Amino acid sequence: MSRDITFVHLTDLHIGDPATDDHLFSDTATTLREILAQVATITPKPSFIVASGDLSNRGDAESYVRLREIMETIDLPVIYAIGNHDTREGFYEGMGIDTDAPDAPFYHDRIVEGVYVITLDSSTPNYIGGTIEEGQFAWLADTLDTHPELPKLIVTHHPPALGDGPDLAHLLPDMRCLAS
């Protein structure tokens, strides 16, 4: 007998401190705590949470520490992807992930409750739009061939580009990032 797998998808959390961030107009940490309290009441219990980018509003390590502390309050695995408001360096440091390359894309895979979750990093430092770097495509091709018996869930922050031209947002610098 198979059971249905459910998960919660959260995106654009923008964790930060509204007292010091003039681009943050609400207490996003409190909002996230309220959302997780509601998630905890879902029956049947979801199998995992996907948090798919713009985890932080400024990309500072402190906001990821705060995010990690909040997410540890719920008894569910969390799959993270990063987006254009995130910084790779801040994410690695604040989430306590050891790396020799703090500017490297954050992509990974994991099996959760029989679902093969594959996460790509579509962030392009200092730009609003996103792309997937060439090395990730090779990794993705190899990864998709593993665990053929499992359903796949691919997670990324930015939507895939359609058409022949680049996403216009990828051509425009994120002035918020450049002003930081």
Side-chain angles (χ1 to χ4, degrees):
M1 174 162 125
S2 67
R3 75 176 185 94
D4 290 334
I5 302 294
T6 61
F7 64 93
V8 173
H9 178 212
L10 304 174
T11 191
D12 292 270
L13 302 174
H14 290 275
I15 298 299
D17 183 354
T20 59
D21 185 342
D22 60 353
H23 291 103
L24 195 61
F25 303 107
S26 66
D27 185 348
T28 54
T30 296
T31 300
L32 179 56
R33 285 185 194 94
E34 291 170 2
I35 290 168
L36 292 180
Q38 292 176 14
V39 168
T41 68
I42 296 174
T43 303
K45 182 179 176 179
S47 298
F48 55 94
I49 294 174
V50 171
S52 66
D54 286 358
L55 306 170
S56 166
N57 200 51
R58 286 277 182 198
D60 56 296
E62 295 79 20
S63 62
Y64 297 106
V65 169
R66 181 178 295 146
L67 171 66
R68 187 181 66 206
E69 290 170 348
I70 294 168
M71 296 304 276
E72 287 173 350
T73 65
I74 193 155
D75 183 30
L76 289 172
V78 181
I79 308 295
Y80 293 103
I82 60 176
N84 53 288
H85 276 256
D86 298 305
T87 64
R88 294 169 178 174
E89 296 86 352
F91 177 79
Y92 285 121
E93 180 183 340
M95 297 302 277
I97 299 171
D98 290 327
T99 182
D100 293 333
D103 59 342
F106 178 69
Y107 55 98
H108 54 97
D109 59 330
R110 179 176 175 185
I111 297 172
V112 184
E113 297 279 335
V115 176
Y116 194 28
V117 184
I118 301 166
T119 305
L120 300 172
D121 183 345
S122 64
S123 68
T124 303
N126 298 320
Y127 285 86
I128 296 169
T131 55
I132 297 172
E133 295 178 13
E134 205 53 45
Q136 288 186 74
F137 283 113
W139 174 82
L140 177 61
D142 291 340
T143 301
L144 286 171
D145 288 338
T146 63
H147 306 291
E149 74 285 2
L150 297 178
K152 314 292 191 281
L153 173 65
I154 298 177
V155 177
T156 187
H157 178 69
H158 296 88
L162 301 174
D164 295 331
D167 179 354
L168 180 59
H170 186 260
L171 303 174
L172 301 173
D174 184 348
M175 301 313 288
R176 177 200 51 82
C177 291
L178 297 176
S180 299

